[in-house]
Amino acid sequence: MMRAGDGLTRKVMVLRVSVCLAAGIDAQEMPPGEMDFNVVGLSFIAIQVRDDSAAAEWYTAMLDLDEVNRLEAQDGRYSIRILTGGGLSVELTRVSGAAPVPAGPHLGLFKAGLFVDNIEAAFALLRSNEVDTDRAISTDRALQVRTFVFRDPEGNRLQVFERCDSGCGPR
């Protein structure tokens, strides 16, 4: 069992900070030459869950992820599971006393998105497993993407995107 302070923990923390910073950067506020990168797709999400074992099982089955690490506080206050696969890393964190996802509108991050290379396959897999999803894949021609939203067992909203750079006409 890995403990906080080990190498992977530091790498995950750096990755988390990097994703958060990248998502909040306004290119117009950056001095010229200081922003020489683009975020091309979400590759890491962290989700607080009630039951990290059940959540890990669900994410492993639904997104074909593998558990690569587990961290636990010796006093049982928290447990973290790191799952990866297909360019995505998911951190599932169980924290004693955490409140559930609010049912109604609330402030703060309310969904995360991931880009896939075959949106029909992702949609079909989730629908066949009776996951709460949008009724259909929609197209946003302005953003040049096809997309749908699904909810995990905790009620977290995740949005799936597929780029359609050569046009978003009907398939």
Side-chain angles (χ1 to χ4, degrees):
M1 199 73 45
M2 204 165 174
R3 303 281 177 229
D6 290 344
L8 183 57
T9 302
R10 284 190 296 274
K11 288 177 186 172
V12 168
M13 294 302 292
V14 167
L15 181 58
R16 180 187 301 169
V17 170
S18 298
V19 169
C20 292
L21 289 174
I25 290 174
D26 182 349
Q28 295 175 350
E29 294 176 8
M30 295 293 291
E34 288 197 29
M35 189 169 155
D36 58 354
F37 66 91
N38 292 301
V39 176
V40 296
L42 181 66
S43 60
F44 174 83
I45 57 175
I47 303 169
Q48 288 193 123
V49 297
R50 281 180 282 238
D51 181 339
D52 56 311
S53 295
E57 186 176 310
W58 190 87
Y59 275 91
T60 297
M62 293 302 112
L63 298 179
D64 196 25
L65 302 175
D66 296 312
E67 185 172 316
V68 296
N69 197 10
R70 186 182 307 178
L71 305 124
E72 295 182 12
Q74 291 179 341
D75 62 4
R77 287 181 302 124
Y78 69 86
S79 176
I80 299 171
R81 292 174 185 245
I82 308 294
L83 311 174
T84 65
L88 175 66
S89 294
V90 176
E91 175 185 312
L92 300 170
T93 303
R94 179 199 43 80
V95 178
S96 297
V101 174
H106 59 280
L107 297 176
L109 186 64
F110 76 99
K111 71 178 169 180
L114 22 137
F115 282 85
V116 299
D117 59 0
N118 186 340
I119 199 164
E120 285 90 1
F123 187 72
L125 173 71
L126 294 168
R127 295 288 290 194
S128 71
N129 283 287
E130 300 180 1
V131 173
D132 180 12
T133 68
D134 287 345
R135 292 182 185 187
I137 297 168
S138 61
T139 299
D140 185 328
R141 286 179 174 75
L143 293 178
Q144 296 283 303
V145 296
R146 299 176 67 221
T147 185
F148 71 91
V149 175
F150 70 95
R151 290 184 188 264
D152 74 1
E154 298 282 343
N156 297 299
R157 296 166 45 98
L158 297 155
Q159 189 164 6
V160 178
F161 296 94
E162 179 184 58
R163 296 188 196 287
C164 49
D165 298 326
S166 61
C168 291
R171 288 189 179 207

